[in-house]
Amino acid sequence: MNNITDVFFDLDHTLWDFDRNSALTFDKIFKLNNIEVKLQDFLNHYQGINQNYWKLFREEKIDKDTLRFGRLNDAFLAIGEKVSKDVIVKLSDDYITYLSTFNHLFDDTVEILNYLQPKYKLHIITNGFEEVQHKKLIRSNIHKFFKTITNSETTGVKKPNPIIFNFALDQAKAKVENSIMVGDSYEADILGAQNIGMDVIFLDVKNVVKTNGVKKINNLKQIKEFL
């Protein structure tokens, strides 16, 4: 792929180990707020609920506050726990406060960024909340690899909207034909990038998604097969 000059990465679930860091955050804030639930039971329900809320958020069907409150409220209801609105609001705030204090990356993240940086300009395109994403990059010490960081809150739209991809390209001073997107969300990252003509690499850790010929990897190290 000799034409590629710029590589755009998603952050959560692609480089930054969201599920692991999120679990550690819930463990901390439950203890801080004296919430006595079985953590794994909560997480088993929360992960799917959170994904559904993020899908609604991407589709502009709910706002940020609804996402933050609803995912927690629904998860507690799913495990049969009644938690007051005030407590859920407090937990929601604490979650955002402490999430970026845990910064486990996926295996081989730093290795692959070190491998790519001398050859390509690296960038981030993320749907995550701006105040949290910046902290994640700084505290995990990977901010130094990226020339630009494009956030959905800055652009006003979320992946897969083509506006955010075009905004990222403009910010990076990159051409679409010389760029490639690496991400874990087939809908947001892969289809979104393809819709503006950008090349893609799909990170499918569980190897469960049929991609119709799209370049696919199961771990970050496999990027070396293409770049």
Side-chain angles (χ1 to χ4, degrees):
M1 303 184 68
N2 296 328
N3 66 309
I4 298 298
T5 59
D6 292 77
V7 182
F8 293 82
F9 280 94
D10 174 49
L11 182 58
D12 293 337
H13 303 285
T14 299
L15 303 175
W16 198 83
D17 192 343
F18 182 89
D19 288 341
R20 184 178 180 186
N21 295 320
S22 181
L24 291 167
T25 304
F26 278 119
D27 184 50
K28 183 179 182 72
I29 67 173
F30 285 174
K31 288 174 180 174
L32 285 174
N33 290 279
N34 299 312
I35 304 295
E36 297 182 1
V37 299
K38 292 181 179 179
L39 179 63
Q40 194 56 54
D41 189 23
F42 174 87
L43 292 173
N44 288 342
H45 289 87
Y46 174 82
Q47 288 172 356
I49 290 168
N50 186 44
Q51 288 175 359
N52 290 335
Y53 268 91
W54 269 101
K55 186 174 189 301
L56 293 172
F57 186 62
R58 285 198 307 269
E59 295 170 352
E60 310 286 351
K61 294 178 179 177
I62 59 172
D63 60 17
K64 180 166 68 173
D65 290 339
T66 301
L67 183 151
R68 287 181 173 179
F69 181 87
R71 62 187 179 181
L72 286 175
N73 188 57
D74 288 6
F76 281 120
L77 290 174
I79 62 171
E81 293 288 337
K82 291 185 178 180
V83 180
S84 72
K85 181 178 179 180
D86 289 345
V87 171
I88 289 177
V89 169
K90 175 67 163 51
L91 288 169
S92 176
D93 290 341
D94 285 351
Y95 180 80
I96 298 301
T97 298
Y98 290 106
L99 181 60
S100 59
T101 66
F102 299 98
N103 283 288
H104 294 284
L105 300 169
F106 278 110
D107 291 342
D108 308 314
T109 293
V110 174
E111 177 186 337
I112 201 66
L113 294 176
N114 274 317
Y115 166 80
L116 292 171
Q117 190 179 41
K119 304 178 180 182
Y120 308 96
K121 296 174 186 175
L122 307 182
H123 313 275
I124 291 285
I125 309 178
T126 174
N127 279 352
F129 303 137
E130 184 174 10
E131 72 272 24
V132 181
Q133 302 303 76
H134 181 70
K135 291 176 183 177
K136 290 175 183 176
L137 289 164
I138 296 289
R139 292 174 179 174
S140 62
N141 199 31
I142 59 173
H143 64 287
K144 60 190 177 184
F145 290 104
F146 301 103
K147 298 287 187 183
T148 66
I149 299 165
T150 300
N151 188 282
S152 60
E153 286 194 315
T154 303
T155 57
V157 297
K158 308 167 192 70
K159 297 177 291 184
N161 192 310
I163 291 173
I164 191 171
F165 290 97
N166 285 316
F167 183 96
L169 288 169
D170 289 343
Q171 189 178 23
K173 296 180 173 58
K175 295 181 179 180
V176 67
E177 62 267 24
N178 301 129
S179 302
I180 193 165
M181 179 74 199
V182 182
D184 74 291
S185 171
Y186 193 71
E187 177 186 355
D189 299 317
I190 304 310
L191 296 181
Q194 284 185 321
N195 283 340
I196 68 158
M198 190 186 294
D199 205 346
V200 293
I201 296 175
F202 177 46
L203 175 62
D204 182 13
V205 175
K206 297 180 180 178
N207 197 26
V208 294
V209 180
K210 293 182 179 179
T211 58
N212 299 318
V214 168
K215 290 182 287 294
K216 186 166 76 165
I217 57 176
N218 307 127
N219 61 72
L220 290 170
K221 193 179 292 187
Q222 291 176 332
I223 288 176
K224 293 180 180 181
E225 297 174 12
F226 301 105
L227 295 171

